[in-house]
Amino acid sequence: MNGKIGTTQAAMLVASIILPTAVIVLPLSISSYAEQDSPLALLLSALAGLGIAAIVGTAIRHNKGAPFLDWIGEKSSPLIATILGLFMLQFYLDATSVILREFVNFIKDYVLINTPVTVMTLLIVFISIYIVRQGLEAIARVNILVILLFLFFVPLAIFGLSNEMNVHHLLPVFDHSLAELTLGSTASVALISEVSVLLFLAPYLKNPQKARIIGWTGILLFLGMMMFVLVLTLMVFGADLIKLSAYPGFLAISIVHIGNFVENLDILFISYWVLSFYLKFSIFLFVTVECFKQTFRVNSSKPFIGALGLVIALECLYTWQSSSKLNLYNKEGHFLVFYLFNVFVPLGALLLNRLHKSGSKRG
C-alpha cells in the first residue's frame, strides 16, 4: 500500500471518484431545476469545483504531502487532530456506506433483481477489500484502463443515437435565472467536492506539490465525460422526459440499435459503470482506512481493512435500507455534509496554518 502514483494517475482517480455517482444522479437532479440549461448548471458547478480543488491543493502544498491529520496535530495539538479525525472517520464511513447502497440499489433494480440485498452487499465489500489490499498504485493502474474504455462508448453511442437526437431539445439557451442554475448545480458541486479525498491520498502522490493541477485536471476530465452523457441524454429525451426516469443516462443507451447486429447496448454500458463504481467504492474504502490509520496513529492499516469494510456493509444494510430515506438525505442533507467536510475542513486547515505561521513570526 506504499506505492506512489503519478500526476496523471491521480487526476484520473479524481475523475473516477466523481463520475460513477454523477451519471446516475446528476441528469435528473440538474434538469429538475435547469431543464435544457442543464449544461450551463454543470459548467457553473465545475467552476466552483475548480475553486475547491485549489483550496485542497494549496493545503497539500503547504503540508508537502504529509499525512493530513499529522499535519493538523503539528499546527494545533494531537488532541484536536484526533477529534477532527474521529469526525472525518464518521463522515467517510457514512459517505462510503451511501455509495455502497446506491451501488446495490442500482444492481438490484437493473441486473440482479431476485438476488438478496445482503448477498450483493457482502460480495461487493469482499471484492473491494481485496482490491484495497493490493494498494493504491494497483487501483490507479486499473483505473487508467477503465477511463480509456469510455472512449470506446463515445463513437458507438453517437452513431447509434444519431437518428434519435434532436438539437432543439437544448433550446432556448439562457432561459433560466441564475438562482435556478445555482439550485441545479448544488448536487453536482457536492459530488465534485469529493476531490478533497486528495488530502488523504497526498502521502501516496509522487508530486504532492502538483495537487492543484491534479484536482483541476481530474475535474475537467470529469466535466468532459459528464457533459457528453448529459447533452446526449437531453438531445434524445428532452428535459421533460428526463424527469420521469430514475436513470435517464442508462435509458438513453438502451435504445441504441444499429441494424440487426448491435442492440441492447445498455448491458455493455452497465458493465462499464459497474467497473467504475467498484473503483470509486474501493478508493473511498482506501481513504476511510487511511483516515482510521491517521486518527489512531497505527503503523499498518491492513488488519483493519476487513473490519472497516464490514462496518460499512452493516451501515449500508441497516441505516439506508429505506430508499425514500436515502433519497431524502441525497436531496436535503447530502450537500450540506459534503460542503462541511470537503470544503470547510481544508479551508480551516489553511487558516490554521496561516495562524500558526503568524504566531511563529511573532515569537
Side-chain angles (χ1 to χ4, degrees):
M1 295 180 66
N2 296 321
K4 301 282 187 176
I5 61 175
T7 301
T8 302
Q9 290 177 313
M12 288 186 172
L13 281 179
V14 170
S16 293
I17 287 169
I18 306 169
L19 186 66
T21 305
V23 167
I24 62 174
V25 171
L26 292 191
L28 178 61
S29 173
I30 296 178
S31 62
S32 297
Y33 294 100
E35 297 180 323
Q36 76 277 4
D37 282 331
S38 294
L40 297 177
L42 184 61
L43 283 173
L44 185 64
S45 62
L47 290 175
L50 293 176
I52 296 171
I55 294 171
V56 172
T58 303
I60 294 173
R61 189 182 65 179
H62 282 301
N63 67 23
K64 300 177 182 179
F68 178 65
L69 294 178
D70 292 352
W71 180 60
I72 293 293
E74 292 176 1
K75 300 301 179 182
S76 55
S77 71
L79 177 61
I80 293 177
T82 301
I83 293 173
L84 176 62
L86 290 173
F87 279 110
M88 296 200 74
L89 180 60
Q90 181 63 51
F91 164 70
Y92 280 115
L93 285 170
D94 291 343
T96 309
S97 68
V98 169
I99 292 169
L100 178 59
R101 190 68 202 199
E102 290 171 343
F103 191 3
V104 170
N105 285 349
F106 180 84
I107 297 297
K108 180 70 175 177
D109 292 341
Y110 264 76
V111 185
L112 303 175
I113 299 173
N114 297 320
T115 304
V117 171
T118 303
V119 174
M120 285 191 292
T121 301
L122 294 178
L123 182 61
I124 293 169
V125 169
F126 287 150
I127 293 174
S128 300
I129 289 172
Y130 172 78
I131 294 172
V132 171
R133 289 182 67 87
Q134 305 311 303
L136 186 63
E137 188 180 10
I139 296 174
R141 288 199 300 267
V142 174
N143 180 63
I144 291 177
L145 298 177
V146 174
I147 290 287
L148 292 176
L149 276 176
F150 186 85
L151 301 179
F152 168 77
F153 291 100
V154 171
L156 196 59
I158 293 175
F159 182 70
L161 293 172
S162 57
N163 293 328
E164 308 293 336
M165 292 187 291
N166 184 353
V167 71
H168 294 94
H169 287 158
L170 301 176
L171 302 175
V173 185
F174 302 112
D175 191 46
H176 294 77
S177 66
L178 181 60
E180 290 172 316
L181 293 178
T182 302
L183 287 173
S185 67
T186 52
S188 53
V189 172
L191 286 175
I192 293 174
S193 72
E194 291 176 346
V195 68
S196 68
V197 300
L198 288 173
L199 293 171
F200 287 96
L201 299 182
Y204 303 94
L205 300 178
K206 289 181 180 178
N207 300 298
Q209 69 275 12
K210 295 182 179 179
R212 280 189 295 188
I213 297 176
I214 290 171
W216 291 337
T217 305
I219 289 173
L220 292 176
L221 181 59
F222 154 76
L223 177 63
M225 299 168 74
M226 189 62 217
M227 188 66 75
F228 168 76
V229 175
L230 183 60
V231 172
L232 187 73
T233 307
L234 278 171
M235 291 177 68
V236 171
F237 295 120
D240 292 332
L241 290 180
I242 286 180
K243 299 174 185 178
L244 302 178
S245 173
Y247 306 110
F250 295 100
L251 186 60
I253 297 296
S254 68
I255 67 175
V256 171
H257 189 93
I258 305 174
N260 294 320
F261 58 93
V262 177
E263 58 182 343
N264 297 327
L265 190 63
D266 55 328
I267 191 62
L268 292 177
F269 193 77
I270 288 173
S271 299
Y272 171 82
W273 179 85
V274 168
L275 284 175
S276 64
F277 223 99
Y278 262 116
L279 284 169
K280 172 167 184 165
F281 179 71
S282 298
I283 295 167
F284 263 83
L285 178 57
F286 182 93
V287 171
T288 303
V289 173
E290 183 65 22
C291 183
F292 177 90
K293 176 183 175 182
Q294 294 183 22
T295 300
F296 295 99
R297 299 178 180 86
V298 295
N299 294 325
S300 176
S301 56
K302 279 191 174 182
F304 305 100
I305 297 174
L308 290 170
L310 291 177
V311 169
I312 291 168
L314 289 173
E315 183 173 352
C316 166
L317 290 171
Y318 296 103
T319 300
W320 304 113
Q321 56 185 326
S322 170
S323 297
S324 59
K325 185 178 180 180
L326 178 62
N327 292 335
L328 181 63
Y329 170 74
N330 285 334
K331 183 178 180 180
E332 298 183 0
H334 181 265
F335 68 92
L336 291 174
V337 176
F338 268 54
Y339 289 163
L340 175 62
F341 285 96
N342 291 339
V343 181
F344 291 108
V345 166
L347 196 60
L350 286 176
L351 179 61
L352 179 64
N353 181 63
R354 181 176 291 274
L355 292 175
H356 183 267
K357 285 184 176 180
S358 299
S360 298
K361 289 180 180 180
R362 287 196 299 269

